[in-house]
Amino acid sequence: MSTTASEQHPSVLLVDDDATLRERLGRAFRERGWEVTTAADYEAALVAARRESPEYAVVDLRMPGHSGLELVRDLLAVDAATRIVVLTGYGSIATTVDAIRLGAVNYLPKPADVDDILAAFARATHEPAVAAPETLQAPSLARAEWEHIHRVLADSAGNISEAARKLGIHRRSLQRKLQKYPPSR
């Protein structure tokens, strides 16, 4: 059986507004023989995908402007064969379901390294095991609250007064909650 050039050097599009993470992942993929294209936002990612459609894509969920979920949908509109893993620091069951429903093959919480991402792509290509090796651990109530607050704050473009209004709490209460570290899972 002969191999094509793309099988020897798979292509991946890395989309994240965090330049350090984007370049670190890009370097790690290149060291493993991948052809890497990077983009900092939705628009740059679509330009790159239209120029040369990637076989794989790693998309950050939260970016300025359009969300990673919108990018998943639009990358698959460019090429339905692109396999996409969504990364996020604001993971929740609802966004996981949305990402998979839109066509992502997997979903990973940050921080994730290249080995985690490759494993996520590999898991997506195999049939699900009868007994899942990992059990889903629901986040604690404190963690769910922290994620919800940060999601509302991001949706409010960082405006604390608007986020407090949407959450139905006083602005100072929200400021105190934002000063706390995220609770452990």
Side-chain angles (χ1 to χ4, degrees):
M1 183 171 135
S2 65
T3 58
T4 64
S6 66
E7 288 174 318
Q8 293 174 345
H9 299 287
S11 61
V12 64
L13 172 62
L14 302 174
V15 187
D16 199 305
D17 57 326
D18 180 344
T20 304
L21 176 64
R22 190 174 63 241
E23 293 311 313
R24 182 179 57 83
L25 287 175
R27 185 173 38 255
F29 270 103
R30 284 184 193 97
E31 288 171 356
R32 287 166 173 78
W34 289 61
E35 293 178 18
V36 177
T37 304
T38 61
D41 57 28
Y42 171 92
E43 289 80 14
L46 278 184
V47 167
R50 288 182 181 129
R51 186 175 52 243
E52 187 172 338
S53 179
E55 296 169 75
Y56 298 88
V58 178
V59 175
D60 184 20
L61 181 68
R62 296 278 180 193
M63 295 180 286
H66 294 279
S67 77
L69 293 177
E70 292 172 289
L71 184 56
V72 168
R73 179 196 63 213
D74 295 342
L75 284 175
L76 291 172
V78 170
D79 183 353
T82 302
R83 301 179 59 75
I84 303 170
V85 167
V86 174
L87 292 181
T88 186
Y90 303 99
S92 73
I93 293 172
T95 54
T96 301
V97 170
D98 289 343
I100 301 302
R101 191 175 293 148
L102 286 169
V105 298
N106 220 321
Y107 188 95
L108 291 173
K110 285 183 180 178
D113 62 19
V114 72
D115 293 325
D116 296 329
I117 295 166
L118 291 173
F121 282 126
R123 280 191 306 271
T125 60
H126 297 94
E127 289 296 316
V130 175
E134 301 174 19
T135 59
L136 177 64
Q137 182 179 359
S140 67
L141 184 57
R143 178 69 185 202
E145 177 191 40
W146 183 87
E147 289 176 1
H148 179 68
I149 287 171
H150 281 81
R151 204 170 23 255
V152 170
L153 184 61
D155 291 343
S156 301
N159 184 322
I160 292 176
S161 295
E162 182 180 341
R165 183 183 51 74
K166 287 180 180 179
L167 290 166
I169 61 175
H170 193 276
R171 184 180 52 81
R172 286 187 173 211
S173 296
L174 177 57
Q175 287 175 318
R176 280 192 296 277
K177 287 179 181 283
L178 290 171
Q179 290 175 348
K180 295 180 182 177
Y181 289 106
S184 61
R185 298 227 171 242

